[in-house]
């Protein structure tokens, strides 16, 4: 089974610091590190490392762009098919990431070529793919058109509604599996969501189109609702170093395991184990575990 990921490709410029700066504050950090990132690229790498055949459709700057090769390095190592990658007359996307001592992070994104990626850059042939994985770092019109075309072609559409935006009913109507964190869930339902209302809020989104809604809850694991079932999956317990890659790891591995035929609860479990392992190392793609490591971690529990 083959997954098509349509999304952003960035280089990540990361600095470790004692804390995330407050507005107007300067905080001295450690050495800067350049690595591969972008939610689309991250999720493509995570899915490929979990054993899926993955193709990426996205955009980067030209050969003279200093961040082009760093942005593509992880995709190349993971053997992601880049035949759908577009070179545009714009800088490669760049994410500026501050990682605090407690593992939390703050991210500012300069979208660059990702912002120039339009519906005209989407694939014309959707044959050979069984699943499409989308996020919200490309223009809303692009994400919506991708969901429409994939849905019409009979693909299973997974949408990670990140970064958070207000709900687009048309997009949700063409989504099979919606994946959000608590902040993104609150943006979609238009209100603050407390722990005791998480399940109700997730259920309310089922009426807008998705057949499945998964809410990632960090150290509390994940909550998934369908019209007939609710699944609460415990987190894989780890010593947290950096949470930057956890969410994208979860999404990519979930898509990979679903595409391989795993039942939903099992796919959610494997996604949680992989996301936990990603928290034990710094970076986004650099933190993502291979499938053998995920299986070994499960055996040691």
């Amino acid at each position: 089974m083959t997954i098509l990921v349509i999304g952003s490709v960035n280089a990540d410029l990361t600095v470790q610091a004692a804390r995330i700066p407050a507005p107007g504050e300067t905080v001295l950090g450690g050495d800067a590190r350049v690595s591969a990132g972008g939610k689309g690229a991250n999720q493509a790498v995570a899915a490929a490392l979990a054993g899926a055949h993955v193709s990426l459709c996205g955009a980067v700057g030209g050969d003279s762009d200093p961040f082009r090769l760093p942005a593509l390095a992880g995709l190349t190592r993971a053997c992601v098919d880049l035949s759908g990658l577009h070179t545009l007359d714009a800088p490669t996307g760049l994410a500026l990431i501050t990682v605090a001592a407690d593992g939390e992070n703050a991210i500012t994104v300069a979208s660059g070529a990702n912002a120039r990626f339009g519906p005209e850059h989407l694939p014309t042939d959707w044959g050979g793919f069984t699943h499409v994985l989308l996020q919200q770092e490309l223009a809303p019109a692009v994400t919506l058109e991708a969901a429409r075309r994939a849905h019409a072609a009979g693909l299973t559409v997974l949408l990670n509604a990140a970064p958070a935006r207000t709900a687009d009913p048309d997009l949700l109507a063409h989504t099979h599996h919606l994946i959000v964190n608590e902040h993104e869930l609150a943006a979609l339902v238009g209100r603050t969501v407390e722990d005791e209302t998480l399940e109700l809020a997730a259920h309310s989104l089922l009426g807008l189109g998705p057949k499945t809604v998964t809410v990632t809850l960090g150290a509390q694991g994940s909550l998934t609702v369908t019209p007939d079932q609710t699944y609460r999956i415990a987190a894989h317990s780890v010593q947290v170093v950096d949470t930057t890659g956890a969410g994208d790891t979860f999404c990519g591995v979930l898509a990979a395991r679903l595409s391989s035929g795993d039942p939903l609860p099992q796919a959610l479990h494997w996604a949680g184990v992989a996301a936990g392992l990603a928290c034990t190392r710094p970076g986004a793609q650099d933190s993502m575990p291979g499938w053998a490591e995920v299986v070994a971690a499960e055996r040691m529990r």
Side-chain angles (χ1 to χ4, degrees), residues 265-293:
Q266 185 175 345
L268 290 164
H269 172 76
W270 286 122
V273 174
L277 291 173
C279 293
T280 65
R281 295 182 283 260
Q285 293 173 31
D286 289 344
S287 73
M288 293 174 173
W291 183 241
E293 184 183 358

Side-chain angles (χ1 to χ4, degrees), residues 141-232:
V142 174
T143 305
L144 174 57
E145 184 61 21
R148 284 174 172 167
R149 294 186 191 181
H151 193 276
L155 279 65
T156 297
V157 179
L158 294 93
L159 171 65
N160 176 215
R165 289 182 185 152
T166 56
D168 178 345
D170 200 3
L171 177 58
L172 293 177
H174 291 88
T175 297
H176 295 95
H177 192 147
L178 176 67
I179 308 159
V180 292
N181 64 21
E182 292 175 86
H183 301 294
E184 293 147 6
L185 176 63
L188 289 174
V189 300
R191 65 180 185 276
T192 302
V193 179
E194 303 295 340
D195 289 345
E196 62 271 16
T197 62
L198 276 173
E199 188 171 339
L200 289 175
H203 263 290
S204 71
L205 294 175
L206 293 176
L208 299 179
K211 303 296 187 291
T212 305
V213 176
T214 293
V215 186
T216 57
L217 303 169
Q220 282 69 54
S222 66
L223 165 72
T224 296
V225 298
T226 72
D228 304 314
Q229 297 284 338
T230 297
Y231 305 99
R232 291 185 178 270

Side-chain angles (χ1 to χ4, degrees), residues 97-122:
I97 305 172
T98 301
V99 180
D102 62 1
E104 289 301 317
N105 62 77
I107 305 174
T108 302
V109 177
S111 295
N114 298 305
R116 275 72 161 187
F117 185 99
E120 68 275 15
H121 298 116
L122 292 171

Side-chain angles (χ1 to χ4, degrees), residues 36 49 72-80 285-286:
L49 291 176
L72 298 178
L75 292 159
T76 302
R77 286 195 302 269
C79 299
V80 174
Q285 293 173 31
D286 289 344

